[in-house]
Amino acid sequence: MVPALLILMGALVTLQADLLSPEKFLLLPPVNFTIKTTGLAQVLLHWDPNPDQDPVDLEYHVKINVPQEDEYDTKNTESKCVTPLHEGFAASVRTILKSSHSPLASSWVSAELKAPPGSSGTSVMNLTCTTNTVKSSHTHFRPYQVSLRCTWLVGKDAPEDTQYFLYYRFSVWTEECQEYSRDALNRNIACWFPRTFINSKGFEQLAVHVNGSSKHAAIKPFDQLFTLHAIDQVNPPMNVTVEIENNSLYIQWEKPLSAFPVHCFKYKLKIYNTKNGYSQMENLVTNKFISKIDDVSTYSIQVRAAVSSPCRMSGSWGEWSQPIYVGLTYGQGCFHQFRRQRVASKISPW
């Protein structure tokens, strides 16, 4: 019985090897490959298995050719890509064997989206965007919301009557700007969304699209993707308090206005001696600090914050809190010692 079983297994392995050998096995390319725009800076690639393909474990090798080269393997028959589309989009796909280092692969099939029409040099330039957390009126269900501000320069070859229009997409939400700032020729050069559907704790990219119109030329649109950690303007810490006791500064503050919890922040503390011009800088993960001081100087204290890496990719530091002055200040024939002070963080409008 055992020898017969071994012979049967050996025959099966031999049969599989024969089927997968380059001389006896052929991988056929997928069929019905299409590329469809599904949102701002977002496309869906879809294809079907070749109906004449032998039933073996298959995967697909996808190659993005435009706007930026990339490639990956997938076992699915569709794939979503988030990428700027103002230069068009082109991709190819072929059939490969699943989890195999075999050189076997089908021929490529390709599809493309043409770049949208528009004259060169008419699209916006230097598009930059920043986000900021603000209080929400729906305090129970969503206590925080995110505002968005974007600015840009007019295209170098854009006619004087060019008018630009900005849209953003985050996840499934798309909005058109309603509040613009204009230049001397009444052209839109900045946009502000006081409230958005952006989730400050999200990991998705923010897609921004700017198109335009003119009576004298076709204005070329422009897309750009932003990662939230890179453009988020973190609010200053709130309720900074400073006390002097026995030549020591006791400094304390609360986390910034943010959807992130307390443990997600790191802080930078600046204690500036206005008498000798010396600044003491401290990097902290707590919201308290004690520092020794002399009794003949005045000090300025400021704190700023950033979201730390355990909760999100580290971004830039936020704005400094308003300075608090403590210590001694001299007048004509007298001096005054400042005591405990508190400063509540003020969030400036755009």
Side-chain angles (χ1 to χ4, degrees):
M1 178 61 72
V2 174
L5 181 59
L6 292 176
I7 292 173
L8 180 61
M9 293 177 62
L12 180 60
V13 171
T14 302
L15 177 61
Q16 290 177 334
D18 287 342
L19 285 174
L20 300 180
S21 64
E23 296 81 7
K24 299 183 179 182
F25 186 77
L26 180 65
L27 287 176
L28 300 176
V31 295
N32 302 327
F33 181 34
T34 58
I35 301 174
K36 179 182 178 181
T37 302
T38 56
L40 297 182
Q42 180 175 274
V43 294
L44 180 68
L45 285 61
H46 180 84
W47 58 90
D48 295 319
N50 194 302
D52 298 324
Q53 181 64 62
D54 290 334
V56 294
D57 287 337
L58 300 177
E59 282 189 342
Y60 301 96
H61 183 194
V62 179
K63 185 176 182 180
I64 309 300
N65 304 310
V66 176
Q68 188 172 4
E69 290 189 359
D70 189 19
E71 52 187 304
Y72 54 90
D73 296 340
T74 177
K75 61 181 180 181
N76 301 317
T77 56
E78 65 178 26
S79 176
K80 182 176 74 172
C81 290
V82 177
T83 184
L85 298 177
H86 58 269
E87 295 178 355
F89 184 89
S92 304
V93 62
R94 63 180 178 177
T95 308
I96 60 174
L97 291 175
K98 183 178 181 180
S99 303
S100 171
H101 298 291
S102 169
L104 288 176
S106 74
S107 58
W108 293 99
V109 291
S110 301
E112 69 172 332
L113 292 176
K114 296 291 187 181
S119 302
S120 176
T122 60
S123 60
V124 298
M125 304 183 298
N126 297 350
L127 175 64
T128 61
C129 295
T130 56
T131 58
N132 181 247
T133 299
V134 296
K135 283 187 177 181
S136 170
S137 56
H138 306 290
T139 55
H140 179 68
F141 298 102
R142 193 178 179 187
Y144 306 105
Q145 284 189 311
V146 174
S147 65
L148 172 67
R149 178 175 174 82
C150 296
T151 63
W152 58 88
L153 298 179
V154 173
K156 59 183 178 64
D157 297 322
E160 288 189 354
D161 72 332
T162 299
Q163 192 57 283
Y164 293 109
F165 307 96
L166 181 141
Y167 305 77
Y168 84 85
R169 179 186 59 78
F170 185 80
S171 186
V172 300
W173 300 99
T174 299
E175 278 193 291
E176 179 183 0
C177 181
Q178 302 297 323
E179 298 190 31
Y180 289 102
S181 298
R182 296 177 173 86
D183 65 6
L185 296 178
N186 204 38
R187 297 176 295 191
N188 296 335
I189 55 170
C191 166
W192 181 39
F193 293 88
R195 301 287 189 273
T196 69
F197 291 100
I198 299 171
N199 178 6
S200 60
K201 298 170 69 175
F203 293 96
E204 298 179 65
Q205 288 182 301
L206 172 69
V208 176
H209 172 89
V210 184
N211 58 27
S213 63
S214 167
K215 295 180 180 179
H216 305 288
I219 305 302
K220 192 171 182 63
F222 181 77
D223 296 331
Q224 190 164 332
L225 299 175
F226 298 92
T227 53
L228 294 186
H229 74 274
I231 65 171
D232 186 28
Q233 188 178 66
V234 179
N235 290 312
M238 297 191 298
N239 297 328
V240 182
T241 60
V242 182
E243 292 185 63
I244 298 177
E245 187 175 325
N246 297 328
N247 289 341
S248 292
L249 281 180
Y250 292 84
I251 308 168
Q252 187 171 319
W253 57 89
E254 296 176 6
K255 81 175 186 73
L257 178 68
S258 172
F260 285 97
V262 173
H263 69 272
C264 289
F265 290 95
K266 59 183 179 180
Y267 301 98
K268 188 180 291 289
L269 171 67
K270 178 168 64 175
I271 304 174
Y272 176 68
N273 188 320
T274 62
K275 181 181 179 181
N276 58 25
Y278 174 76
S279 289
Q280 177 185 349
M281 304 290 290
E282 302 289 344
N283 291 309
L284 306 165
V285 294
T286 64
N287 66 333
K288 297 179 181 180
F289 187 75
I290 301 174
S291 178
K292 289 293 184 181
I293 59 172
D294 61 48
D295 57 0
V296 294
S297 297
T298 302
Y299 296 85
S300 166
I301 292 89
Q302 291 178 282
V303 192
R304 62 181 179 178
V307 180
S308 56
S309 54
C311 297
R312 185 180 69 180
M313 291 183 65
S314 293
S316 58
W317 288 98
E319 297 283 336
W320 288 104
S321 63
Q322 293 293 323
I324 295 178
Y325 295 93
V326 294
L328 298 180
T329 182
Y330 292 89
Q332 294 182 352
C334 65
F335 70 89
H336 177 69
Q337 184 174 27
F338 291 99
R339 286 296 181 182
R340 174 189 177 98
Q341 292 196 36
R342 175 186 293 267
V343 170
S345 142
K346 296 180 181 179
I347 302 172
S348 300
W350 292 111

